[in-house]
Amino acid sequence: MESINLVWFKKDLRICDNEALSQGLKAGKIIPIFVIEPSLWALPDHSSRQWEFVRECLIDLKNSLNEIGLKLIIRVGNIEDVIKELMERFHIQGIYSHEETGNEWTFKRDQNLRHFTKNERINWYEFRQVGVFRGLKTRKNWSQKWEQHMSQEIINNPVKVNYLIDIPSHSLPSSKCLSLNLDECNLRIKGGRKQGLKRLNDFLRYKIDNYQYSLSSPLKAFDGCSRLSPYLTWGCLSIREVVQAIRKTKKRGSRAIDSRLHWHCHFIQKLESEPELENREYHQQMRGIRKSNTIFLNAWSQGLTGIPFIDACMRSLNNHGWINFRMRAMLMSFASYHLWLPWQESGLCLARKFIDYEPGIHWTQCQMQSGTTAINAIRIYNPIKQGYDHDPEGIFIRTWVKELQNIPTKFIHEPWEVDLFRQKDSSFVLGKNYPLPIVDPINSARRARIKLKEIRNKPGFFDITNNIIEKHVSRKEKKSKLKKNNTSDKQLNLDF
Ligand SMILES: Cc1cc2nc3c(=O)[nH]c(=O)nc-3n(C[C@H](O)[C@H](O)[C@H](O)COP(=O)(O)OP(=O)(O)OC[C@H]3O[C@@H](n4cnc5c(N)ncnc54)[C@H](O)[C@@H]3O)c2cc1C
């Protein structure tokens, strides 16, 4: 039997700066594989829009591998079965992949595979591809470690190989073949390294200077933010190459985006160190406080809450598969406070919509924006104020909420005031053309604040908070967080 090594591509869909590929090639002949796992794609945090993006990334990866004489082998099934099938033809010396920090499912899959490879005496080598460290006991020196990882030399594209292992590959299935519910995302950006590099270069050349001024408003963010997140999530670009390219430009805005790339790994590290955070609240007294409500959840998810700025953001997200940070935070805050929905349910809904869905960032952010970490200031965004601040003329609202297109600007953020206007234009009837607000945005926020105050006044609440601070917060931040904790009631009054 011929001896080979498997290079198992996961969320590292590139050949440049890919240590698993580079080390696999050094070890001998390789077969590059990508396994499409139907059980993973059937999970409620996955969606057809994400698969379509990945499909494009795989076509691009396949072409890049062809250029260096390698054939990407696609398999639909589970990884163990794929390895067993290949073991019938080859002697598998080793498996080379990156260290994945995914969701609970991928964590368990990797645990099972570890047992399997041990029993079969196959060495499985995993390589770090982001600034996230396995088995870390404390956050001490985490930033230095991150810095070290980011400053390592970029691994160039491998040179062309002089052998060919030509075994049949499955074709890439459509969303329908994978039994994924089709969710229209007609303005989604395209997947693949070429697209990612183009976006990175355009951003560095034309946009980075004004980056900081484009972050908050959805009117500017689509053009002004890097929108590199899907390429980082699926590994079309390595975070190290992005950090190094940004540092090289030394332009205004470099530092701001550099620190966000730092956050990228900082949040994933939290889930790596405590995988239960995907399902369970950081603070135990915040568990089970909210109630499911299908009517609210559906109205929110479809952009039919009757709050124009919320609906515009959600409809834009539904069509693009992306929205800027502040609007994500506002959407989540509205679901968790005004609608009082469990973050796990609204979080799943958002996860499916994001083509950049990254479990480590996503679930920690969902918990932060829902107040369940108890170590971050509680931000109850006022969606009307956000609208006035970031879309004063109602341009974004009119783009996405066509029903309000003819409403005069002075009513665009609060169309329930339109009665005065209705006298002139009887064609618009609130509740018929566009829904009445499903909650009163002011009173529902007030109710949420009262409930939060009750919970935080329970005995032992702040002792638990202090334990969380000890575990999750870096030494630098710890002092100020512990101090703030003593004045925590003030944090509840923050209205954004
Ligand atoms: C509820 C909620 C859920 C989120 N879910 C995800 C997710 O699933 N995947 C994801 O990549 N980001 C998520 N974010 C963080 C953030 O909104 C996105 O990273 C950012 O909007 C991506 O756009 P961009 O690439 O243009 O970012 P830029 O502003 O151009 O920043 C560059 C990169 O820095 C990183 N970054 C930026 N902001 C953050 C942040 N706040 N936290 C961590 N990393 C950051 C991302 O990798 C991003 O691509 C979430 C935020 C919230 C509030």
Side-chain angles (χ1 to χ4, degrees), residues 211 215 225-229 232-233 257 260-261 263-264 267 322-325 328-329 332 354 356-358 361-362 365-366 369:
Y211 168 68
L215 283 167
C225 284
S226 74
R227 294 183 67 187
L228 290 173
S229 49
L232 290 170
T233 289
I257 192 154
R260 278 165 180 82
L261 291 162
W263 297 351
H264 177 106
F267 286 118
W322 181 91
I323 197 153
N324 57 321
F325 170 77
R328 292 185 197 207
M332 194 65 210
F354 293 154
D356 61 18
Y357 167 55
E358 178 65 76
I361 305 178
H362 186 70
Q365 278 291 350
C366 285
Q369 305 305 335

mmCIF file of all heavy atoms in Angstrom, residues 211 215 225-229 232-233 257 260-261 263-264 267 322-325 328-329 332 354 356-358 361-362 365-366 369, ligand 1:
data_model
loop_
_atom_site.group_PDB
_atom_site.id
_atom_site.type_symbol
_atom_site.label_atom_id
_atom_site.label_comp_id
_atom_site.label_asym_id
_atom_site.label_seq_id
_atom_site.Cartn_x
_atom_site.Cartn_y
_atom_site.Cartn_z
ATOM 1 N N TYR A 211 -11.906 54.544 8.076
ATOM 2 C CA TYR A 211 -12.521 53.377 8.708
ATOM 3 C C TYR A 211 -13.274 53.736 9.999
ATOM 4 O O TYR A 211 -14.452 53.416 10.153
ATOM 5 C CB TYR A 211 -11.423 52.336 8.974
ATOM 6 C CG TYR A 211 -11.817 51.196 9.868
ATOM 7 C CD1 TYR A 211 -12.746 50.253 9.449
ATOM 8 C CD2 TYR A 211 -11.255 51.046 11.139
ATOM 9 C CE1 TYR A 211 -13.102 49.192 10.277
ATOM 10 C CE2 TYR A 211 -11.600 49.999 11.965
ATOM 11 C CZ TYR A 211 -12.526 49.076 11.533
ATOM 12 O OH TYR A 211 -12.879 48.032 12.343
ATOM 13 N N LEU A 215 -17.792 53.185 11.122
ATOM 14 C CA LEU A 215 -18.159 51.988 11.875
ATOM 15 C C LEU A 215 -19.614 51.951 12.336
ATOM 16 O O LEU A 215 -20.250 50.897 12.310
ATOM 17 C CB LEU A 215 -17.263 51.886 13.123
ATOM 18 C CG LEU A 215 -15.834 51.394 12.895
ATOM 19 C CD1 LEU A 215 -14.981 51.655 14.128
ATOM 20 C CD2 LEU A 215 -15.852 49.912 12.571
ATOM 21 N N CYS A 225 -16.430 49.702 6.270
ATOM 22 C CA CYS A 225 -15.831 48.629 7.078
ATOM 23 C C CYS A 225 -15.102 47.682 6.136
ATOM 24 O O CYS A 225 -15.369 47.648 4.943
ATOM 25 C CB CYS A 225 -16.916 47.862 7.833
ATOM 26 S SG CYS A 225 -17.540 48.765 9.254
ATOM 27 N N SER A 226 -14.211 46.876 6.682
ATOM 28 C CA SER A 226 -13.429 46.007 5.788
ATOM 29 C C SER A 226 -14.285 44.888 5.194
ATOM 30 O O SER A 226 -14.038 44.438 4.092
ATOM 31 C CB SER A 226 -12.256 45.383 6.555
ATOM 32 O OG SER A 226 -12.712 44.372 7.426
ATOM 33 N N ARG A 227 -15.264 44.431 5.946
ATOM 34 C CA ARG A 227 -16.095 43.271 5.583
ATOM 35 C C ARG A 227 -15.223 42.049 5.254
ATOM 36 O O ARG A 227 -15.527 41.264 4.359
ATOM 37 C CB ARG A 227 -17.053 43.627 4.441
ATOM 38 C CG ARG A 227 -18.069 44.663 4.908
ATOM 39 C CD ARG A 227 -19.086 44.999 3.872
ATOM 40 N NE ARG A 227 -19.967 43.877 3.588
ATOM 41 C CZ ARG A 227 -20.854 43.880 2.615
ATOM 42 N NH1 ARG A 227 -21.000 44.932 1.842
ATOM 43 N NH2 ARG A 227 -21.619 42.830 2.417
ATOM 44 N N LEU A 228 -14.151 41.932 6.015
ATOM 45 C CA LEU A 228 -13.264 40.776 5.838
ATOM 46 C C LEU A 228 -13.742 39.584 6.667
ATOM 47 O O LEU A 228 -13.210 38.483 6.528
ATOM 48 C CB LEU A 228 -11.828 41.136 6.260
ATOM 49 C CG LEU A 228 -11.082 42.103 5.346
ATOM 50 C CD1 LEU A 228 -9.745 42.504 5.958
ATOM 51 C CD2 LEU A 228 -10.852 41.464 3.960
ATOM 52 N N SER A 229 -14.717 39.816 7.550
ATOM 53 C CA SER A 229 -15.079 38.771 8.521
ATOM 54 C C SER A 229 -15.399 37.404 7.895
ATOM 55 O O SER A 229 -14.910 36.392 8.382
ATOM 56 C CB SER A 229 -16.213 39.251 9.431
ATOM 57 O OG SER A 229 -17.258 39.796 8.690
ATOM 58 N N LEU A 232 -12.217 35.689 7.025
ATOM 59 C CA LEU A 232 -11.453 35.248 8.199
ATOM 60 C C LEU A 232 -12.117 34.023 8.819
ATOM 61 O O LEU A 232 -11.456 33.065 9.202
ATOM 62 C CB LEU A 232 -11.357 36.383 9.224
ATOM 63 C CG LEU A 232 -10.474 37.559 8.806
ATOM 64 C CD1 LEU A 232 -10.638 38.735 9.754
ATOM 65 C CD2 LEU A 232 -9.010 37.133 8.739
ATOM 66 N N THR A 233 -13.445 34.043 8.884
ATOM 67 C CA THR A 233 -14.160 32.898 9.470
ATOM 68 C C THR A 233 -13.832 31.604 8.738
ATOM 69 O O THR A 233 -13.580 30.578 9.351
ATOM 70 C CB THR A 233 -15.688 33.143 9.413
ATOM 71 O OG1 THR A 233 -16.003 34.166 10.351
ATOM 72 C CG2 THR A 233 -16.484 31.903 9.747
ATOM 73 N N ILE A 257 -8.318 49.013 13.481
ATOM 74 C CA ILE A 257 -8.674 47.689 12.936
ATOM 75 C C ILE A 257 -7.767 46.610 13.541
ATOM 76 O O ILE A 257 -8.213 45.485 13.805
ATOM 77 C CB ILE A 257 -8.692 47.678 11.391
ATOM 78 C CG1 ILE A 257 -9.352 46.385 10.909
ATOM 79 C CG2 ILE A 257 -7.343 47.867 10.760
ATOM 80 C CD1 ILE A 257 -9.985 46.468 9.574
ATOM 81 N N ARG A 260 -9.280 45.428 16.638
ATOM 82 C CA ARG A 260 -10.455 44.568 16.420
ATOM 83 C C ARG A 260 -10.032 43.141 16.051
ATOM 84 O O ARG A 260 -10.689 42.177 16.397
ATOM 85 C CB ARG A 260 -11.371 45.175 15.374
ATOM 86 C CG ARG A 260 -12.242 46.228 16.014
ATOM 87 C CD ARG A 260 -12.930 47.143 15.061
ATOM 88 N NE ARG A 260 -13.736 48.097 15.797
ATOM 89 C CZ ARG A 260 -13.267 49.202 16.359
ATOM 90 N NH1 ARG A 260 -11.986 49.503 16.270
ATOM 91 N NH2 ARG A 260 -14.068 50.021 17.016
ATOM 92 N N LEU A 261 -8.934 43.037 15.348
ATOM 93 C CA LEU A 261 -8.430 41.690 15.012
ATOM 94 C C LEU A 261 -7.936 40.975 16.271
ATOM 95 O O LEU A 261 -8.015 39.761 16.383
ATOM 96 C CB LEU A 261 -7.332 41.789 13.947
ATOM 97 C CG LEU A 261 -7.887 42.240 12.588
ATOM 98 C CD1 LEU A 261 -6.783 42.752 11.681
ATOM 99 C CD2 LEU A 261 -8.655 41.111 11.900
ATOM 100 N N TRP A 263 -9.452 41.536 19.184
ATOM 101 C CA TRP A 263 -10.719 41.089 19.806
ATOM 102 C C TRP A 263 -11.193 39.782 19.183
ATOM 103 O O TRP A 263 -11.751 38.930 19.861
ATOM 104 C CB TRP A 263 -11.841 42.105 19.590
ATOM 105 C CG TRP A 263 -11.641 43.442 20.188
ATOM 106 C CD1 TRP A 263 -10.643 43.836 21.051
ATOM 107 C CD2 TRP A 263 -12.454 44.591 19.959
ATOM 108 N NE1 TRP A 263 -10.794 45.155 21.355
ATOM 109 C CE2 TRP A 263 -11.890 45.647 20.709
ATOM 110 C CE3 TRP A 263 -13.589 44.841 19.201
ATOM 111 C CZ2 TRP A 263 -12.436 46.916 20.718
ATOM 112 C CZ3 TRP A 263 -14.144 46.109 19.209
ATOM 113 C CH2 TRP A 263 -13.559 47.139 19.956
ATOM 114 N N HIS A 264 -11.012 39.674 17.866
ATOM 115 C CA HIS A 264 -11.444 38.471 17.147
ATOM 116 C C HIS A 264 -10.958 37.226 17.920
ATOM 117 O O HIS A 264 -11.740 36.337 18.263
ATOM 118 C CB HIS A 264 -10.843 38.519 15.733
ATOM 119 C CG HIS A 264 -11.116 37.327 14.879
ATOM 120 N ND1 HIS A 264 -12.017 37.325 13.838
ATOM 121 C CD2 HIS A 264 -10.603 36.071 14.903
ATOM 122 C CE1 HIS A 264 -12.039 36.141 13.275
ATOM 123 N NE2 HIS A 264 -11.187 35.359 13.903
ATOM 124 N N PHE A 267 -12.182 36.853 21.801
ATOM 125 C CA PHE A 267 -13.501 36.233 22.032
ATOM 126 C C PHE A 267 -13.481 34.738 21.747
ATOM 127 O O PHE A 267 -14.077 33.955 22.476
ATOM 128 C CB PHE A 267 -14.576 36.923 21.185
ATOM 129 C CG PHE A 267 -14.947 38.279 21.730
ATOM 130 C CD1 PHE A 267 -14.745 39.426 20.984
ATOM 131 C CD2 PHE A 267 -15.482 38.401 22.993
ATOM 132 C CE1 PHE A 267 -15.060 40.680 21.484
ATOM 133 C CE2 PHE A 267 -15.802 39.653 23.520
ATOM 134 C CZ PHE A 267 -15.599 40.800 22.758
ATOM 135 N N TRP A 322 -24.684 40.104 6.223
ATOM 136 C CA TRP A 322 -23.707 40.882 7.009
ATOM 137 C C TRP A 322 -24.362 42.190 7.440
ATOM 138 O O TRP A 322 -25.191 42.753 6.714
ATOM 139 C CB TRP A 322 -22.479 41.217 6.140
ATOM 140 C CG TRP A 322 -21.402 41.998 6.855
ATOM 141 C CD1 TRP A 322 -20.336 41.477 7.529
ATOM 142 C CD2 TRP A 322 -21.295 43.425 6.994
ATOM 143 N NE1 TRP A 322 -19.579 42.483 8.071
ATOM 144 C CE2 TRP A 322 -20.145 43.699 7.765
ATOM 145 C CE3 TRP A 322 -22.060 44.522 6.562
ATOM 146 C CZ2 TRP A 322 -19.730 44.990 8.107
ATOM 147 C CZ3 TRP A 322 -21.656 45.816 6.900
ATOM 148 C CH2 TRP A 322 -20.499 46.037 7.655
ATOM 149 N N ILE A 323 -24.018 42.666 8.617
ATOM 150 C CA ILE A 323 -24.313 44.049 9.028
ATOM 151 C C ILE A 323 -23.229 44.468 10.018
ATOM 152 O O ILE A 323 -22.512 43.611 10.555
ATOM 153 C CB ILE A 323 -25.753 44.216 9.578
ATOM 154 C CG1 ILE A 323 -26.139 45.703 9.591
ATOM 155 C CG2 ILE A 323 -25.932 43.571 10.956
ATOM 156 C CD1 ILE A 323 -27.589 46.005 9.478
ATOM 157 N N ASN A 324 -23.087 45.773 10.220
ATOM 158 C CA ASN A 324 -21.984 46.262 11.056
ATOM 159 C C ASN A 324 -22.221 45.960 12.537
ATOM 160 O O ASN A 324 -23.335 45.659 12.965
ATOM 161 C CB ASN A 324 -21.759 47.766 10.829
ATOM 162 C CG ASN A 324 -22.989 48.595 11.099
ATOM 163 O OD1 ASN A 324 -24.100 48.194 10.779
ATOM 164 N ND2 ASN A 324 -22.813 49.753 11.692
ATOM 165 N N PHE A 325 -21.140 46.078 13.302
ATOM 166 C CA PHE A 325 -21.156 45.693 14.708
ATOM 167 C C PHE A 325 -22.276 46.385 15.492
ATOM 168 O O PHE A 325 -23.053 45.749 16.184
ATOM 169 C CB PHE A 325 -19.795 45.995 15.363
ATOM 170 C CG PHE A 325 -19.837 45.837 16.847
ATOM 171 C CD1 PHE A 325 -19.820 44.575 17.418
ATOM 172 C CD2 PHE A 325 -19.946 46.937 17.685
ATOM 173 C CE1 PHE A 325 -19.896 44.405 18.798
ATOM 174 C CE2 PHE A 325 -20.026 46.786 19.059
ATOM 175 C CZ PHE A 325 -19.999 45.519 19.613
ATOM 176 N N ARG A 328 -25.601 45.032 14.826
ATOM 177 C CA ARG A 328 -25.766 43.677 15.389
ATOM 178 C C ARG A 328 -26.091 43.787 16.879
ATOM 179 O O ARG A 328 -26.959 43.096 17.397
ATOM 180 C CB ARG A 328 -24.471 42.861 15.244
ATOM 181 C CG ARG A 328 -24.137 42.518 13.827
ATOM 182 C CD ARG A 328 -22.912 41.605 13.749
ATOM 183 N NE ARG A 328 -22.382 41.632 12.397
ATOM 184 C CZ ARG A 328 -21.703 40.649 11.826
ATOM 185 N NH1 ARG A 328 -21.458 39.562 12.489
ATOM 186 N NH2 ARG A 328 -21.269 40.754 10.589
ATOM 187 N N ALA A 329 -25.337 44.687 17.542
ATOM 188 C CA ALA A 329 -25.533 44.847 18.978
ATOM 189 C C ALA A 329 -26.947 45.359 19.260
ATOM 190 O O ALA A 329 -27.627 44.890 20.175
ATOM 191 C CB ALA A 329 -24.484 45.797 19.533
ATOM 192 N N MET A 332 -29.576 42.604 18.709
ATOM 193 C CA MET A 332 -29.536 41.615 19.799
ATOM 194 C C MET A 332 -30.129 42.211 21.070
ATOM 195 O O MET A 332 -30.903 41.558 21.774
ATOM 196 C CB MET A 332 -28.069 41.220 20.012
ATOM 197 C CG MET A 332 -27.881 39.988 20.837
ATOM 198 S SD MET A 332 -28.540 38.526 20.008
ATOM 199 C CE MET A 332 -29.004 37.566 21.439
ATOM 200 N N PHE A 354 -25.707 35.211 9.449
ATOM 201 C CA PHE A 354 -24.350 35.742 9.245
ATOM 202 C C PHE A 354 -23.522 34.781 8.389
ATOM 203 O O PHE A 354 -23.330 33.631 8.784
ATOM 204 C CB PHE A 354 -23.608 35.913 10.578
ATOM 205 C CG PHE A 354 -24.162 36.966 11.507
ATOM 206 C CD1 PHE A 354 -23.975 36.874 12.872
ATOM 207 C CD2 PHE A 354 -24.864 38.058 11.017
ATOM 208 C CE1 PHE A 354 -24.468 37.844 13.736
ATOM 209 C CE2 PHE A 354 -25.369 39.035 11.867
ATOM 210 C CZ PHE A 354 -25.169 38.919 13.239
ATOM 211 N N ASP A 356 -20.475 35.253 8.192
ATOM 212 C CA ASP A 356 -19.214 35.216 8.940
ATOM 213 C C ASP A 356 -19.388 34.514 10.287
ATOM 214 O O ASP A 356 -18.570 34.693 11.191
ATOM 215 C CB ASP A 356 -18.674 36.638 9.155
ATOM 216 C CG ASP A 356 -19.616 37.533 9.970
ATOM 217 O OD1 ASP A 356 -20.506 37.022 10.664
ATOM 218 O OD2 ASP A 356 -19.447 38.768 9.914
ATOM 219 N N TYR A 357 -20.445 33.710 10.436
ATOM 220 C CA TYR A 357 -20.728 33.110 11.748
ATOM 221 C C TYR A 357 -19.491 32.407 12.328
ATOM 222 O O TYR A 357 -18.995 31.440 11.766
ATOM 223 C CB TYR A 357 -21.904 32.135 11.621
ATOM 224 C CG TYR A 357 -22.083 31.241 12.840
ATOM 225 C CD1 TYR A 357 -22.219 31.797 14.107
ATOM 226 C CD2 TYR A 357 -22.108 29.849 12.716
ATOM 227 C CE1 TYR A 357 -22.364 30.993 15.227
ATOM 228 C CE2 TYR A 357 -22.262 29.037 13.825
ATOM 229 C CZ TYR A 357 -22.377 29.618 15.073
ATOM 230 O OH TYR A 357 -22.515 28.809 16.182
ATOM 231 N N GLU A 358 -19.055 32.917 13.445
ATOM 232 C CA GLU A 358 -17.858 32.403 14.132
ATOM 233 C C GLU A 358 -18.287 32.144 15.569
ATOM 234 O O GLU A 358 -18.461 33.092 16.357
ATOM 235 C CB GLU A 358 -16.759 33.483 14.057
ATOM 236 C CG GLU A 358 -15.464 33.181 14.741
ATOM 237 C CD GLU A 358 -14.712 32.012 14.129
ATOM 238 O OE1 GLU A 358 -14.116 32.171 13.061
ATOM 239 O OE2 GLU A 358 -14.743 30.936 14.734
ATOM 240 N N ILE A 361 -16.898 34.210 18.657
ATOM 241 C CA ILE A 361 -17.244 35.642 18.730
ATOM 242 C C ILE A 361 -18.748 35.778 18.938
ATOM 243 O O ILE A 361 -19.213 36.548 19.777
ATOM 244 C CB ILE A 361 -16.843 36.396 17.435
ATOM 245 C CG1 ILE A 361 -15.376 36.192 17.111
ATOM 246 C CG2 ILE A 361 -17.177 37.872 17.549
ATOM 247 C CD1 ILE A 361 -14.913 36.858 15.819
ATOM 248 N N HIS A 362 -19.478 34.973 18.180
ATOM 249 C CA HIS A 362 -20.918 35.140 18.159
ATOM 250 C C HIS A 362 -21.560 34.937 19.539
ATOM 251 O O HIS A 362 -22.292 35.798 20.024
ATOM 252 C CB HIS A 362 -21.522 34.173 17.144
ATOM 253 C CG HIS A 362 -22.978 34.385 16.950
ATOM 254 N ND1 HIS A 362 -23.476 35.496 16.326
ATOM 255 C CD2 HIS A 362 -24.054 33.662 17.341
ATOM 256 C CE1 HIS A 362 -24.791 35.447 16.318
ATOM 257 N NE2 HIS A 362 -25.170 34.341 16.936
ATOM 258 N N GLN A 365 -20.584 37.506 22.164
ATOM 259 C CA GLN A 365 -21.238 38.787 21.878
ATOM 260 C C GLN A 365 -22.732 38.713 22.220
ATOM 261 O O GLN A 365 -23.282 39.653 22.770
ATOM 262 C CB GLN A 365 -21.057 39.175 20.410
ATOM 263 C CG GLN A 365 -19.729 39.835 20.103
ATOM 264 C CD GLN A 365 -19.607 41.232 20.721
ATOM 265 O OE1 GLN A 365 -20.567 41.806 21.236
ATOM 266 N NE2 GLN A 365 -18.406 41.769 20.696
ATOM 267 N N CYS A 366 -23.373 37.601 21.856
ATOM 268 C CA CYS A 366 -24.809 37.468 22.167
ATOM 269 C C CYS A 366 -25.024 37.586 23.675
ATOM 270 O O CYS A 366 -25.955 38.252 24.138
ATOM 271 C CB CYS A 366 -25.358 36.123 21.677
ATOM 272 S SG CYS A 366 -25.575 36.071 19.906
ATOM 273 N N GLN A 369 -24.380 41.268 24.826
ATOM 274 C CA GLN A 369 -25.458 42.200 24.451
ATOM 275 C C GLN A 369 -26.773 41.862 25.161
ATOM 276 O O GLN A 369 -27.747 42.590 25.038
ATOM 277 C CB GLN A 369 -25.681 42.215 22.928
ATOM 278 C CG GLN A 369 -24.443 42.519 22.098
ATOM 279 C CD GLN A 369 -23.744 43.821 22.470
ATOM 280 O OE1 GLN A 369 -24.361 44.735 23.013
ATOM 281 N NE2 GLN A 369 -22.447 43.912 22.202
HETATM 282 C C1 LIG B 1 -24.502 39.925 18.472
HETATM 283 C C2 LIG B 1 -23.201 39.938 17.698
HETATM 284 C C3 LIG B 1 -22.812 38.819 17.002
HETATM 285 C C4 LIG B 1 -21.603 38.803 16.292
HETATM 286 N N1 LIG B 1 -21.263 37.678 15.606
HETATM 287 C C5 LIG B 1 -20.109 37.640 14.914
HETATM 288 C C6 LIG B 1 -19.746 36.475 14.176
HETATM 289 O O1 LIG B 1 -20.458 35.465 14.181
HETATM 290 N N2 LIG B 1 -18.583 36.512 13.456
HETATM 291 C C7 LIG B 1 -17.767 37.609 13.451
HETATM 292 O O2 LIG B 1 -16.724 37.593 12.777
HETATM 293 N N3 LIG B 1 -18.086 38.707 14.168
HETATM 294 C C8 LIG B 1 -19.223 38.767 14.878
HETATM 295 N N4 LIG B 1 -19.544 39.903 15.588
HETATM 296 C C9 LIG B 1 -18.543 40.993 15.713
HETATM 297 C C10 LIG B 1 -18.584 42.095 14.650
HETATM 298 O O3 LIG B 1 -19.864 42.608 14.516
HETATM 299 C C11 LIG B 1 -18.062 41.612 13.293
HETATM 300 O O4 LIG B 1 -16.801 40.997 13.438
HETATM 301 C C12 LIG B 1 -17.867 42.769 12.313
HETATM 302 O O5 LIG B 1 -19.061 43.497 12.194
HETATM 303 C C13 LIG B 1 -17.442 42.208 10.969
HETATM 304 O O6 LIG B 1 -17.390 43.204 10.001
HETATM 305 P P1 LIG B 1 -16.024 43.673 9.349
HETATM 306 O O7 LIG B 1 -15.268 42.486 8.855
HETATM 307 O O8 LIG B 1 -16.296 44.749 8.402
HETATM 308 O O9 LIG B 1 -15.283 44.253 10.618
HETATM 309 P P2 LIG B 1 -14.184 45.382 10.740
HETATM 310 O O10 LIG B 1 -14.741 46.459 11.567
HETATM 311 O O11 LIG B 1 -13.645 45.753 9.421
HETATM 312 O O12 LIG B 1 -13.057 44.657 11.628
HETATM 313 C C14 LIG B 1 -12.084 43.766 11.081
HETATM 314 C C15 LIG B 1 -12.168 42.413 11.747
HETATM 315 O O13 LIG B 1 -11.992 42.535 13.159
HETATM 316 C C16 LIG B 1 -12.804 41.574 13.828
HETATM 317 N N5 LIG B 1 -13.810 42.277 14.648
HETATM 318 C C17 LIG B 1 -14.382 43.470 14.413
HETATM 319 N N6 LIG B 1 -15.235 43.790 15.407
HETATM 320 C C18 LIG B 1 -15.189 42.755 16.265
HETATM 321 C C19 LIG B 1 -15.839 42.492 17.500
HETATM 322 N N7 LIG B 1 -16.682 43.362 18.058
HETATM 323 N N8 LIG B 1 -15.569 41.329 18.114
HETATM 324 C C20 LIG B 1 -14.700 40.452 17.602
HETATM 325 N N9 LIG B 1 -14.054 40.640 16.435
HETATM 326 C C21 LIG B 1 -14.284 41.789 15.801
HETATM 327 C C22 LIG B 1 -13.495 40.752 12.743
HETATM 328 O O14 LIG B 1 -12.708 39.613 12.479
HETATM 329 C C23 LIG B 1 -13.486 41.709 11.563
HETATM 330 O O15 LIG B 1 -13.556 41.050 10.327
HETATM 331 C C24 LIG B 1 -20.761 39.948 16.302
HETATM 332 C C25 LIG B 1 -21.173 41.088 17.003
HETATM 333 C C26 LIG B 1 -22.376 41.075 17.694
HETATM 334 C C27 LIG B 1 -22.794 42.306 18.427
#
